[in-house]
Amino acid sequence: MQNVRNALRALEEVAERQPIGVADLARAMGLPKSSVQRTLVTLHEAGWIRPAEGRPTRWRVTAKALQVGRHATGELRLRDAAVPVMEELRARTDETVHLAVPEGERVVLVERLETTQPVRIILPLGQILPVHASANGKAVLAARTDAEVAAYLADGLARFTETTATDPAALRAEVDEIRARGWATNRGEWRADVSAVAAAVLGESGRPVASVSVNVPTSRLTDPLRDRFGELVAEAAARLSERLGGTPGRQAWGGARRPTP
């Protein structure tokens, strides 16, 4: 049983730190390199990890992990409903469009449609995004209950860049703004060169099941463009909510209706 636990933990660590080598993984797990090496060989033979391109001593997770995650979150049905909406949003913005799903106290990128522009945002599928420092994460957070928001704020807010919101009161105020206007924004708060606007997608229960975002290099996201993209992403999220049986404009906090963008 301990071997199974170690294998699952190794898979999680590889996903979080990829590409990662045996020595770094052993330090992260607090285990002997020989034990970690055997675990990596097992995961590789089972198809869960693979050597990184051009770096055979370092490891990455394979698409198998993403497929399992998709089934666990119902993302396959979500993706089928989302892609046509995302394609229209990309056509209207000519920027990269992301679909992310909440997973505990984080969000995970599960689909991406890229812009035709040469300077673009490129994030891998399966990328974990911090809730308080990403537009996708903040959109999901704002669609949760006040109690859930308070619990998240109480855990502390890690800093990623100079613009990351680490003050709980400031982030709480931002949550209220997101609820009022219907979309969230990120101005280089996770990575200085990455900005975005996003809106939450609601399921049948009225709970956030995903978020849709338009992702733009920070240097290209002017205030007028941000506001226009915000309106468009809110409309897209509302349409996707309807496709999934949710009620656009109704949030998890007591069913209060937000203003229609």
Side-chain angles (χ1 to χ4, degrees), residues 55-110:
R55 307 173 75 180
T57 62
R58 302 180 75 83
W59 297 91
R60 287 186 174 276
V61 295
T62 67
K64 186 173 184 178
L66 181 60
Q67 290 297 325
V68 170
R70 285 177 169 177
H71 285 292
T73 62
E75 193 275 319
L76 291 178
R77 171 176 174 262
L78 172 64
R79 182 189 178 281
D80 288 343
V83 167
V85 175
M86 294 172 66
E87 288 176 340
E88 181 180 349
L89 183 59
R90 178 178 59 177
R92 298 178 73 183
T93 63
D94 193 21
E95 296 290 354
T96 299
V97 176
H98 286 166
L99 178 71
V101 296
E103 185 180 282
E105 296 305 320
R106 59 188 187 177
V107 292
V108 181
L109 176 62
V110 295

Side-chain angles (χ1 to χ4, degrees), residues 99-184:
L99 178 71
V101 296
E103 185 180 282
E105 296 305 320
R106 59 188 187 177
V107 292
V108 181
L109 176 62
V110 295
E111 188 55 85
R112 177 188 67 241
L113 300 181
E114 292 188 5
T115 176
T116 61
Q117 301 197 52
V119 179
R120 65 187 70 181
I121 302 301
I122 300 178
L123 298 178
L125 297 185
Q127 174 71 58
I128 296 169
L129 304 171
V131 168
H132 67 284
S134 67
N136 289 95
K138 286 188 283 186
V140 168
L141 183 66
R144 289 176 170 168
T145 65
D146 286 339
E148 289 172 311
V149 173
Y152 180 81
L153 296 178
D155 283 342
L157 305 173
R159 181 179 295 279
F160 298 94
T161 72
E162 292 183 357
T163 60
T164 305
T166 57
D167 177 23
L171 185 59
R172 173 68 241 206
E174 186 174 359
V175 164
D176 290 339
E177 293 175 2
I178 295 167
R179 290 173 173 178
R181 72 187 174 210
W183 49 272

Side-chain angles (χ1 to χ4, degrees), residues 3 7 35-49:
N3 288 340
S35 298
V36 172
Q37 179 64 40
R38 287 193 296 270
T39 299
L40 290 172
V41 169
T42 299
L43 290 172
H44 179 47
E45 291 175 346
W48 288 97
I49 63 174

Side-chain angles (χ1 to χ4, degrees), residues 4-14 25 28-31:
V4 174
R5 292 194 184 98
N6 287 343
L8 292 173
R9 186 182 170 201
L11 183 61
E12 291 174 348
E13 292 288 347
V14 172
L25 186 57
M29 297 179 65
L31 294 174

Side-chain angles (χ1 to χ4, degrees), residues 215-227:
N215 305 269
V216 186
T218 299
S219 60
R220 198 155 70 222
L221 189 63
T222 62
D223 288 344
L225 203 59
R226 178 199 61 193
D227 293 343

